[in-house]
Every structure is written in C-alpha cells, then in structure tokens.
Amino acid sequence: MGRVDTQLLPGPLQKAVDGFRRYLEGECARSAHTVRAYLSDVESLLGFAVQEGVQELRQLELGSLRRWLGAQSEAGMARATLARRAATARSFTGWALREELIETDPAVRLQAPKRDKSLPGVLQQQQVSRMVDDLNTAAADGGPMALRNRAMVELLYATGVRVGELAGLDIDDLDPDRRTVRVLGKGNKERTVPFGVPAAVAVDDWLRRGRPAVVGATSGPALFLGVRGNRVDPRQIRAVVSELLQALGDTSATGPHALRHSAATHLLDGGADLRAVQEILGHSSLATTQIYTHVSVDRLRKSYQQAHPRA
C-alpha cells in the first residue's frame, strides 16, 4: 500500500495526522525528510484502515495493523521497510495514547519481519589512499570544484559525518587551530568531531583557492558550495563519492555512507574505544556502533582464513 491522499481521510483521522506532524516537528525536532517519511507511513496505514471501515482512531485495531503490513509484504516490500513502517505505527499509536485520542494502544504487540543483518560496505585503507591520490591529481590543476571535492571527501572520511551533516556545515563550524568541526546531527544534537592534517590541508586549500572562485550573493556562511555559489546539495556529494568509488573498480561499497562505515571500522581496527567512536559518529545508542565491531571481526576472520596454514 502506498501513500494515500490525505483528502480521502475522514476528519478525525486527518486531525490526528496533523497533530502527529506538529509533535514530530515541535517536540521531537525531526528533520523535514524524517517528518515526510513518518507521515507517509501513517497516511498509508490510515488509508488502509479506512478501506476496512475505520472512521475514527478509536476503531483502529491490531488486526488492521497486521493486515496492513501483510498486504505490503505480499506486494514484495523489503523487510527493512516493513520494520520501519511497523516502528512508525508504534510511534503514532503511542503518541495517540498519550494524547488520549485512544484508550488502548493497538500496536503494542505489532511485529514486523526482522531486518536482514547485512554488514555495511567498507573500503580497505589502500583503497582510500588510491581514491585520495585521484583527488589530489585532479586538484593539482587548481579548479575550484576539484578542490572542493577533495576537501569534502577528506572531511567525510576523517570525521565519519553523514552526508547531510557535511552539506549543512558553515565556515565558523570549523576550528582550524584545534582541528575540530562542530556538527549538528539527528534530533538537532550537536557534537564536536576531530579531523586530521590531510583533511585540514584540503579544507584550507578549498577556502583559500576554491571557494572564493564560486562564492556569490546566495552563498551565505556555507562551507561547501556548488558551481553556482549555492550551498552544496547532498545529492551533489553523493554523485561525487559514487563516481570515485565506481572508479576504484574493486569494491562493493557505494555512496558517501561507505566513507562513514570505513572511518568507523578503521578507527576500531586501529584500537579506538567503542564509546569514542559512538561519540564521533553521533550514535544515540552504543548498539548501533557495535555493528562496526562485527565488520572488524569479519575482516579479521577473512584475513585469518587466507593467511593461516591450518585455517
């Protein structure tokens, strides 16, 4: 079941959707992208329930929730998406219970298929070096976009920040003396992340020789700019990194998140403390960071099997 036109929802249900939107935007301070995703899921759920005769939230039952997920599963929806939609449904009905729009929470016992436990794509350190060498070669000509691309990739790998966090950086978020950057993450949580000398050199080169060549009236304080002087768009960053990874030719890693995965894994491989990596990545839960220990163990196991004579 896809997104349902909210104009088809009965008044009480539409009122609940509007209230949930205000809750997400206000109390939760969710990003616009996250709010849209949550509302799309809720509208899909309520649209399905309306087809089953539900006219107000108090009529919503566990059976409808299960049939809603079941219909999507039969349509071939990925388990990860089903798990996300089930989580959204639980958030929505939990909010409705607190707001006394319903007397009991029908989603308490709602379950969805478990997510596939796939490990994230990770670059080898030699592959990162090759990618940086390509960026240095391109930047040698001094073109502003080549300088920008090198600085963006160096900073992505050095800090492990998300692509949206990188796009949102302003110049004064940098502390060149301490080699740290102030990052505004999910839920408007701020953290300070260190970076190394190569990233510092690349960013400084961009600020001195690249950014002044494209800065314009609409640039504002944005650290990274597009060719027309506007703040760089996350899609532009994804395109740059995807092209670089494709050029390597010997990795399954794709997109900017591969650099985040790689940074975390290489930190742990180098002996970094798990909680320090959690702080750097901005994870609210240590359990999220622990997947990178699995990556490290998996890499260790492969190395052992290849190298040990009795493996």
Side-chain angles (χ1 to χ4, degrees):
M1 305 295 294
R3 184 183 177 115
V4 174
D5 187 345
T6 56
Q7 293 180 353
L8 301 179
L9 294 178
L13 296 183
Q14 179 60 57
K15 186 176 179 180
V17 171
D18 294 339
F20 189 53
R21 177 192 290 109
R22 289 191 294 271
Y23 164 73
L24 294 172
E25 294 173 340
E27 294 184 38
C28 297
R30 300 292 188 185
S31 68
H33 174 77
T34 300
V35 171
R36 284 195 299 270
Y38 270 66
L39 293 181
S40 176
D41 292 346
V42 169
E43 290 161 5
S44 172
L45 165 61
L46 296 180
F48 183 90
V50 166
Q51 294 172 10
E52 294 198 334
V54 171
Q55 293 295 306
E56 57 183 46
L57 216 51
R58 294 177 187 272
Q59 297 174 311
L60 192 62
E61 297 178 347
L62 177 60
S64 287
L65 295 172
R66 286 174 171 168
R67 288 188 291 274
W68 169 62
L69 287 179
Q72 295 170 84
S73 179
E74 291 176 2
M77 186 167 287
R79 283 191 290 177
T81 304
L82 291 173
R84 189 206 73 207
R85 289 200 154 191
T88 299
R90 288 192 293 269
S91 296
F92 174 65
T93 57
W95 165 82
L97 183 66
R98 292 191 300 273
E99 294 293 315
E100 299 183 349
L101 300 178
I102 54 178
E103 297 175 357
T104 58
D105 187 346
V108 168
R109 293 186 291 126
L110 182 65
Q111 295 181 341
K114 293 183 179 179
R115 293 174 183 262
D116 295 323
K117 293 184 178 180
S118 57
L119 296 177
V122 174
L123 295 170
Q124 298 175 2
Q125 294 183 32
Q126 298 93 325
Q127 291 172 317
V128 175
S129 297
R130 282 166 45 207
M131 184 168 59
V132 171
D133 287 344
D134 291 342
L135 287 164
N136 286 335
T137 299
D141 296 334
M145 291 298 99
L147 294 170
R148 182 205 65 179
N149 293 347
R150 181 180 64 170
M152 291 195 307
V153 170
E154 285 278 17
L155 203 56
L156 278 171
Y157 176 63
T159 61
V161 296
R162 303 174 179 92
V163 62
E165 294 170 346
L166 183 79
L169 290 178
D170 290 336
I171 294 175
D172 60 4
D173 288 326
L174 292 170
D175 186 336
D177 295 331
R178 297 174 59 197
R179 290 208 304 272
T180 60
V181 59
R182 185 175 62 245
V183 180
L184 189 63
K186 290 184 176 180
N188 285 332
K189 293 181 180 178
E190 188 177 286
R191 67 187 189 278
T192 300
V193 183
F195 56 87
V197 173
V201 170
V203 171
D204 180 67
D205 214 16
W206 155 249
L207 289 175
R208 287 188 300 104
R209 300 196 295 127
R211 191 178 187 277
V214 294
V215 69
T218 60
S219 300
L223 175 59
F224 293 114
L225 306 175
V227 67
R228 296 182 179 179
N230 299 318
R231 181 183 295 273
V232 70
D233 188 278
R235 289 173 296 181
Q236 295 172 296
I237 302 174
R238 292 190 185 97
V240 168
V241 177
S242 295
E243 184 176 344
L244 288 167
L245 293 175
Q246 188 174 5
L248 287 176
D250 57 356
T251 178
S252 61
T254 59
H257 230 60
L259 294 179
R260 179 171 166 86
H261 296 325
S262 301
T265 303
H266 296 165
L267 281 168
L268 290 169
D269 285 346
D273 178 74
L274 188 63
R275 289 198 176 276
V277 176
Q278 176 191 5
E279 183 70 21
I280 289 171
L281 297 181
H283 287 156
S284 58
S285 169
L286 191 63
T288 307
T289 316
Q290 284 176 328
I291 188 174
Y292 298 107
T293 65
H294 302 158
V295 174
S296 295
V297 170
D298 186 58
R299 285 154 60 93
L300 179 63
R301 183 182 298 111
K302 289 180 180 178
S303 297
Y304 177 85
Q305 290 172 343
Q306 292 173 357
H308 198 286
R310 297 181 68 84

